[in-house]
Amino acid sequence: MNQLLLPLLLMLVVAIPLVMGTRKQKKAAAAQQELLSSLAPGDRVMTTSGLYASVADASADTTIDLEIAPGVVTTWLRQAVREKVEPVVETDEDIVEDEAVVEEPVVESKDDERVEEKTGAQIAPPLEHGKK
């Protein structure tokens, strides 16, 4: 009995991850197939090569027409579509006006120490090499 226990245990250790991995792959394949069959004109998609486009025509079984720019329609294999993406919608909060960065002028004093006008903080003078 003990002679059969070790090989049985080893088989379980190897078999369980294989079965779980296969199930995960089947679920991913089913989800991708569902995505490809649900594509409709107007959907925003990303291809496997990273191209963002809008679906122009999805009536063919193996191909799909994607509009990559206004008036530019290209034909792709359906399997090239990686995922649906949400269309980009700009809101007022997204538009942020850049504020100009104003640097404060630096004025040098008599002692070769630089002093900022606004804060009055002193900045050390540049190091001079070779003087003793």
Side-chain angles (χ1 to χ4, degrees):
M1 181 71 177
N2 284 338
Q3 294 175 356
L4 294 176
L5 186 61
L6 183 61
L8 183 63
L9 206 64
L10 286 174
M11 286 178 33
L12 283 175
V13 167
V14 172
I16 290 176
L18 286 175
V19 170
M20 298 303 282
T22 305
R23 289 183 62 203
K24 187 175 181 181
Q25 284 181 336
K26 284 182 181 179
K27 284 183 182 180
Q32 183 68 16
Q33 194 62 32
E34 172 70 26
L35 167 76
L36 294 178
S37 64
S38 71
L39 291 175
D43 288 343
R44 185 102 171 120
V45 295
M46 182 177 73
T47 65
T48 55
S49 60
L51 179 77
Y52 289 90
S54 296
V55 176
D57 182 26
S59 60
D61 290 337
T62 59
T63 60
I64 190 167
D65 290 339
L66 299 178
E67 185 176 19
I68 57 176
V72 180
V73 177
T74 57
T75 302
W76 293 69
L77 286 174
R78 276 190 183 265
Q79 286 77 17
V81 175
R82 182 179 191 173
E83 62 183 275
K84 277 187 187 181
V85 293
E86 295 297 320
V88 179
V89 178
E90 290 187 17
T91 62
D92 292 337
E93 296 172 359
D94 292 340
I95 302 171
V96 177
E97 295 196 22
D98 294 331
E99 295 179 9
V101 176
V102 179
E103 294 184 20
E104 298 178 7
V106 177
V107 179
E108 292 188 16
S109 67
K110 294 178 188 176
D111 308 18
D112 268 342
E113 290 183 356
R114 295 182 295 169
V115 179
E116 290 187 30
E117 276 184 352
K118 297 274 183 187
T119 61
Q122 293 185 354
I123 300 173
L127 295 176
E128 297 178 19
H129 295 288
K131 284 191 174 180
K132 291 187 178 183

